[in-house]
Each structure stands twice: as C-alpha cells, then as structure tokens.
Amino acid sequence: MKTEELRDEIKKIIEGDVSLEEADIEHYARDTSLFYVRPRLVVFPKHKDDVQKLVQFVADKKANGEDITLTARAAGTCMTGGPLTESIVFDATKYMNHVTEVTDTYAVSEPGVFYRDFEPKTLEKGWIMPSYPASRELAAIGGIICNNSGGEKTLVYGKTENFVKEMEVVYANGETDTLKSLTKEELEAKMKEQNEGGRIHRELYELINANYDTIMQAKPTVSKNSSGYLLWNVYNKETGTFNMPKLITGSQGTLAMMTRATITGIVPKKHRRMLVVFIPSTARLGEIVPALLKHEPETMESYDDHTFKMALKFFKDIAIRMGGSFVSLGLSFLPEFWMVLTGGVPKIILMAEFAGDSEEEVTAQRDKAYEDMKQFNLRMRKTQSDQESKKYWTFRRESFALLRKRLQGLRTAPVIDDICVHPRDLPEFLPKLETIFAQPKYSSLIYTVAGHMGDANFHIVPLVNIHEEGIVQTLHQLMDEVYGLVVEYKGSISAEHNDGLLRTPYLPKMFNQETITLFEKVKDIFDPKGIFNPRKKVHGDMEYSFSKVDRK
Ligand SMILES: Cc1cc2nc3c(=O)[nH]c(=O)nc-3n(C[C@H](O)[C@H](O)[C@H](O)COP(=O)(O)OP(=O)(O)OC[C@H]3O[C@@H](n4cnc5c(N)ncnc54)[C@H](O)[C@@H]3O)c2cc1C
C-alpha cells in the first residue's frame, strides 16, 4: 500500500492529524540516541479514541498482510532509539497533553504532558512524583512511565514503577482496559472476563505462576534496573496481588499503548543542605560512596572533570538556565574558574543533598556527614543556600545537554550510558572499568561520566567523530567489554534509560536463555501479531540497529 493512501485512510478515521511532511519525518527520525530511523508517517492523535482507532487500523492492515507497525512517542528524549521506527509513529505531546485531575494524593495525566508542566500542578497540591529524570525539563509522562525512568531522588524513593497507580491502555487488538494492582479475588474475577484484558491476565498469570522461581532468580539485585520486562514485579505469590501496571511501566510501548495514567507521589521535604566532595581520582570512590551513603542523603549525584570543564566553557548557557543576575552568578562561579586556572580540577564532583523538615535538622545531618568524611582528607564544600546548591545541580542536570553541543565536530555516542552495579562492588569494579578504557584502541575517546552515584549508576557518554573509520566497531567493542564487566558483577546494563534498539540485542548477556524465552512469551501474549514497536525488548537485531547509526 502506498504511504499516501495509508495517510488518507488514517485521516478518514481519526480526528487528529497525519503528516508526511519532510520536516516531521526528519524530526521523528531522531531521539537522543545514536540512531536515525525515518518513520513512514507521523500521527498526532487527539484523544484515546484516536489511539484506539489507529491501533485497530494497524492490526487490521497487518492481518491483511501489510508490513506495518505502530510506535508511541512522548517527548522523544529516549537515549536508546525507543521511539524510533520505520513504520507509523504517533506523538502524544501535540494534543494528548492534559492533566485531567489533580488531588492531594494523585493526578491523572495523558501521556503527552511534559514533566515541566506536570510538576507545578501537583506542587499546588503539595506533592511531586519524585522519580522525574534529569531530563525533567524535556521529557513527558508517557516516556517517563514507559521507560520506567529514575532520577536524583530514586536513591530514596525508587523509580517510576512505584508511582503508577492506574493506567488506561489500548491492547494490540484495539480493546481498551484500565489496569491497577489486583487482589487475589480481583484477579480471579478479571481472569474470568471474556475480553482481551481477561485473556491477557489469564495467560500472563499462568506464565508467571509456572515460572515463578526462574523469574525471581532473574531479578537483578542492583537498586535500579530497566532492562528486560520487569516480570518479577508483577505477581506476589505470598499476598496473591497481581500488578499489571508494573509490567507496562518500562515496557517501551511494546506491549500496549498507554493513553492515561494515575500517578502518585510524595510530599517533598521542606529544607535541604548539600555537601559537595571534590575527589581527585576514582581510586577510593568505592570507600567514599558507601561512607557517605551511611548518612542517608536524599540524593547523591556526581559529574566528572570533563563535564565540569564543559559547564564552565558554556557558562553563559548555564547561567541562563539558572536565571538571576549574570554578575552575581559570575561571582558565584569564581571558585570554579579558579580551580581550572590553577589546574586543580577534581576528577569527580560528588553532591550529597540532605533533606528534612527543619533547617536545623538538615544542617546537623549534613555537618555530621562532613565531619565523618574528613577521614578521606578531601576538599569539601558545605553549600550555604539553595542558590549555591542550584549551581551544582545545574551542572549535573545539564551535563548531557552540554555534551550534545557537538564540540569541535564530535558527537555524543550514548552506548554505555546507563550501567549500574552494587555500590559495595565499586572498589573492584571501577579499576577494572578504567582498565578497559585505558586500552590503546579507546585512547581517542573523550568521555564524560555523570550519574547517580548513590545507586552506583553511571552515565558514561563518549564523544566521537562518527565519520572516523572503524568508530562504530570500536563502540561495539566498548559495549561488549563494559557490559561483560557489568554482568560479571551482576549489575544492570540499563538502570533507567531502558533497552530500545541499542541494548535489546545485549539482553542475552544479562539474562539467561530461559528468561529471554519468557520475555518473548510475554510479548506474544500481549502482541501476537507484532504490531507494537518492533525490535525493542525482544527480538533485538544488532546488525539492524548499528546499520541505523546517525552519520549526519
Ligand atoms: C539530557 C538528558 C538526561 C536524561 N536523564 C535521564 C535520567 O536521569 N533518567 C532517565 O530515566 N532517563 C534520562 N534520560 C532519558 C530520557 O529523557 C528519559 O528516559 C525520559 O523519561 C523519556 O521520556 P520521553 O517523553 O522523551 O519519552 P520518548 O523518548 O518519547 O519515549 C520513550 C519510550 O516510551 C515509549 N512511549 C512513550 N509514550 C508511550 C505511550 N503513550 N504508550 C506506550 N509507550 C510509550 C516510546 O515508544 C519509547 O520506547 C535523559 C535524556 C536526556 C536527553
């Protein structure tokens, strides 16, 4: 079928827009990953009914032999190629961007609501969803949920999976359902329903129940993981509860399309104080991090010397992001400029923020940590105001955005962007990681390291000349070696950014064949004809993915 005919047919059945404009195709060919995949056409649904009709349409065409699939997109900031497709993509941010209800304990949101618009609404009621990602100014609810994102506050509150109470979805046959955690009795009633929701609950329950031990053994033991289908979170054999939203969360739109979510959160602490630790080398990081974690900071984030220097280079942009007077900001950055001038830039800047309900409480907590950390004989700073802390936060949050400025023709290659191990393993893990990077074949790679140090979750992003001969093979080798090491320490190859085109081919490194087969069965239960977001989460194809590297 010609794409123009496809467009015209879809236009007839939905109220939203359908585009074949070159500017749209080009825009939706990218997220923030390494890939470039041109969609066939772009749809902007107006509401749930449009999504439902679109799914039904795609399912019918597929049944009639058309080579067609459907991929959902929110803000398109995924670093793994999650929302990229050669077929149809729909973008929820244009119309499906309403928060329809906000109460003191929950909010109901469409998938296209940007987090930057969502948080002010929940804050009016005194709470936030604390799992927002570092891309909080860019990302939207659909992607945050379907990637199971995490962020700075995940250390204490966990990832997005903890805050999705209810979810409205469209299944691959076009039927809709509302998913929530079910008690044993509710599950039994649900499984008796003679509809798609009933079938899926029945088959999924049978699969999990029959393979319970395998699934529990496959569960990564690190504090954060987005890799694979999160099957271990669904069924609790002891209580009998069955929580389907926990499976759809993080499934990258491969099982069902999400059209609405009921989101909960936490009441943020009123006061914060930060301790900044400047660490000259990674040698003792494995001792420093656990020592600081004992003081129970709310967040423990980090960035490295490359990020730090880049932030100073782009100081003007940083200052604009922070708001306020240019002169006073310039003055507040003086110590940092001085560090660069005197060659005293630390390798790692570690930010531990302590939160509580009174200023005295947090200051005391922070000062206690400061006294304890003196044992390491490091340079430290106690921030005196929220504005001073904001400076460090902006450096951290903007670290990847800064990198994307394509310095001297180099571009970011997020290929080992989200590894996670247990903090107790850092003393052994980090030197081995450094040994990998020290090999001559990687000597030309400039890379930055930022991350959620409290969870031992590192975002390592090399800057590369994508036109250099052999560079893609080099990145490939780097992935093989780094993921090999992560798996040796029973870590996760993706703590929060998820699998997408990038990591799905690597899942057999992290999970055994039995578990991979279970993932494939899950996909078959939800999407037997394979119409949702192909090559993500299951049936990854390394050759295909790396043929899509963006060389522009
Ligand atoms: C500067 C920067 C910093 C980042 N920091 C973090 C971080 O700290 N933590 C983190 O977790 N991630 C981070 N990311 C990655 C990314 O921003 C997050 O994963 C984000 O939550 C993705 O949201 P999005 O709206 O851009 O989703 P998209 O990229 O649009 O989509 C993500 C996935 O969700 C699926 N999806 C979207 N909407 C739906 C729907 N309605 N139904 C079904 N499936 C859907 C898509 O198909 C895709 O697979 C960062 C990215 C950047 C650029």
Side-chain angles (χ1 to χ4, degrees):
M1 190 174 192
K2 283 200 179 134
T3 303
E4 286 75 11
E5 285 172 40
L6 207 58
R7 174 197 56 194
D8 296 343
E9 282 198 26
I10 296 174
K11 261 190 179 166
K12 273 188 220 146
I13 57 164
I14 67 163
E15 286 183 21
D17 313 332
V18 189
S19 174
L20 260 178
E21 295 290 320
E22 176 55 24
D24 283 333
I25 301 292
E26 189 63 13
H27 175 75
Y28 291 97
R30 291 191 175 89
D31 52 5
T32 59
S33 71
L34 191 61
F35 306 116
Y36 174 80
V37 186
R38 282 169 70 84
R40 204 168 157 192
L41 56 89
V42 184
V43 180
F44 302 94
K46 276 247 158 92
H47 36 58
K48 177 194 90 176
D49 289 353
D50 272 359
V51 176
Q52 194 177 3
K53 284 177 187 155
L54 189 60
V55 173
Q56 184 78 62
F57 175 85
V58 172
D60 290 348
K61 288 284 171 214
K62 182 91 179 188
N64 288 327
E66 187 76 29
D67 183 12
I68 189 170
T69 60
L70 182 64
T71 294
R73 179 172 174 124
T77 66
C78 188
M79 295 171 86
T80 73
L84 303 186
T85 176
E86 287 184 72
S87 196
I88 303 177
V89 62
F90 80 79
D91 175 0
T93 58
K94 186 169 181 184
Y95 296 119
M96 295 180 68
N97 54 15
H98 304 98
V99 178
T100 53
E101 189 186 355
V102 193
T103 73
D104 290 345
T105 53
Y106 68 85
V108 181
S109 172
E110 290 185 313
V113 176
F114 284 95
Y115 185 77
R116 59 175 184 257
D117 300 327
F118 180 79
E119 192 182 90
K121 291 195 166 61
T122 63
L123 264 181
E124 270 174 31
K125 298 285 181 183
W127 62 274
I128 59 162
M129 178 184 76
S131 59
Y132 58 79
S135 49
R136 49 175 284 137
E137 297 302 317
L138 311 169
I141 294 297
I144 292 174
I145 291 179
C146 294
N147 266 357
N148 191 17
S149 284
E152 60 211 31
K153 293 199 196 309
T154 292
L155 181 63
V156 170
Y157 302 108
K159 297 208 305 168
T160 302
E161 64 201 23
N162 292 349
F163 303 100
V164 184
K165 197 172 147 208
E166 219 174 273
M167 208 182 239
E168 180 187 74
V169 294
V170 180
Y171 293 127
N173 74 342
E175 281 182 43
T176 59
D177 203 357
T178 301
L179 304 174
K180 60 178 181 135
S181 176
L182 302 176
T183 62
K184 195 167 178 281
E185 293 71 30
E186 286 169 334
L187 174 65
E188 274 162 16
K190 181 84 189 168
M191 290 196 293
K192 287 191 182 123
E193 285 179 14
Q194 293 307 308
N195 52 24
E196 192 66 350
R199 180 191 69 78
I200 289 176
H201 277 80
R202 269 193 310 278
E203 292 186 14
L204 191 68
Y205 169 75
E206 277 163 23
L207 185 82
I208 297 179
N209 195 35
N211 297 281
Y212 197 79
D213 293 343
T214 307
I215 290 169
M216 289 306 158
Q217 275 159 23
K219 180 180 177 173
T221 54
V222 284
S223 62
K224 293 164 84 177
N225 169 60
S226 273
S227 273
Y229 286 130
L230 310 180
L231 275 174
W232 34 85
N233 287 343
V234 180
Y235 176 47
N236 183 326
K237 229 176 187 173
E238 276 159 33
T239 60
T241 54
F242 197 83
N243 195 327
M244 194 82 102
K246 293 228 183 223
L247 177 64
I248 307 296
T249 301
S251 67
Q252 292 204 296
T254 59
L255 301 179
M257 296 290 131
M258 192 193 81
T259 48
R260 203 180 60 203
T262 303
I263 295 163
T264 59
I266 55 115
V267 176
K269 303 277 187 204
K270 289 193 182 70
H271 298 275
R272 300 197 150 66
R273 279 289 174 267
M274 185 184 282
L275 177 64
V276 188
V277 186
F278 302 98
I279 307 174
S281 88
T282 54
R284 297 192 70 193
L285 211 50
E287 297 163 63
I288 295 165
V289 171
L292 197 46
L293 274 177
K294 279 191 197 137
H295 295 276
E296 298 181 350
E298 187 189 42
T299 61
M300 197 199 282
E301 298 287 294
S302 67
Y303 51 90
D304 70 345
D305 49 347
H306 289 125
T307 314
F308 180 81
K309 285 179 195 161
M310 231 172 278
L312 292 184
K313 187 168 177 176
F314 293 105
F315 166 69
K316 205 170 127 206
D317 297 7
I318 291 268
I320 290 165
R321 291 260 182 196
M322 284 178 64
S325 134
F326 203 75
V327 175
S328 66
L329 280 174
L331 288 175
S332 81
F333 275 88
L334 273 182
E336 279 73 27
F337 283 122
W338 183 246
M339 277 184 192
V340 175
L341 288 174
T342 55
V345 177
K347 179 72 199 145
I348 300 278
I349 290 98
L350 189 59
M351 308 148 49
E353 197 164 57
F354 299 87
D357 289 324
S358 78
E359 202 155 327
E360 295 73 37
E361 180 197 338
V362 280
T363 306
Q365 202 187 351
R366 193 268 315 268
D367 291 351
K368 198 167 164 221
Y370 174 80
E371 290 305 320
D372 184 27
M373 295 307 286
K374 279 183 178 169
Q375 61 175 304
F376 294 103
N377 202 19
L378 298 163
R379 213 151 23 122
M380 292 189 276
R381 172 165 308 170
K382 299 193 265 184
T383 62
Q384 300 306 326
S385 65
D386 287 349
Q387 186 62 17
E388 198 184 345
S389 303
K390 196 174 169 188
K391 177 175 77 178
Y392 293 99
W393 273 121
T394 313
F395 274 39
R396 165 66 188 95
R397 288 184 181 138
E398 294 302 311
S399 55
F400 186 67
L402 285 167
L403 272 178
R404 297 189 78 229
K405 289 182 178 291
R406 293 176 182 239
L407 293 157
Q408 290 137 14
L410 300 178
R411 57 155 300 168
T412 50
V415 290
I416 46 163
D417 49 298
D418 196 25
I419 56 175
C420 185
V421 291
H422 197 288
R424 68 158 184 253
D425 291 328
L426 286 175
E428 276 187 33
F429 176 81
L430 285 174
K432 288 187 182 174
L433 186 66
E434 290 206 337
T435 308
I436 292 178
F437 274 102
Q439 296 173 88
K441 61 183 167 188
Y442 302 132
S443 63
S444 67
L445 295 182
I446 304 169
Y447 59 94
T448 61
V449 184
H452 312 289
M453 190 66 89
D455 288 298
N457 172 200
F458 299 93
H459 301 317
I460 306 174
V461 184
L463 280 170
V464 300
N465 172 2
I466 206 67
H467 303 291
E468 186 186 311
E469 212 189 315
I471 189 68
V472 172
Q473 286 80 352
T474 305
L475 292 174
H476 233 150
Q477 286 173 2
L478 185 66
M479 287 177 88
D480 274 343
E481 291 187 50
V482 172
Y483 289 168
L485 181 64
V486 169
V487 169
E488 193 185 315
Y489 284 91
K490 301 207 174 345
S492 171
I493 59 175
S494 180
E496 51 185 26
H497 294 175
N498 223 302
D499 298 321
L501 287 176
L502 180 72
R503 271 179 284 269
T504 301
Y506 282 89
L507 289 182
K509 249 188 195 294
M510 192 173 151
F511 298 104
N512 63 21
Q513 188 50 48
E514 225 180 332
T515 309
I516 295 289
T517 305
L518 285 174
F519 291 164
E520 287 167 0
K521 286 186 176 164
V522 170
K523 172 75 175 173
D524 283 345
I525 289 173
F526 279 86
D527 183 18
K529 295 198 187 84
I531 65 162
F532 289 151
N533 212 9
R535 299 196 180 89
K536 331 280 161 60
K537 290 288 177 187
V538 290
H539 309 304
D541 180 343
M542 185 95 74
E543 228 171 273
Y544 172 85
S545 298
F546 281 85
S547 72
K548 297 293 174 192
V549 168
D550 184 3
R551 292 181 186 273
K552 287 192 178 177

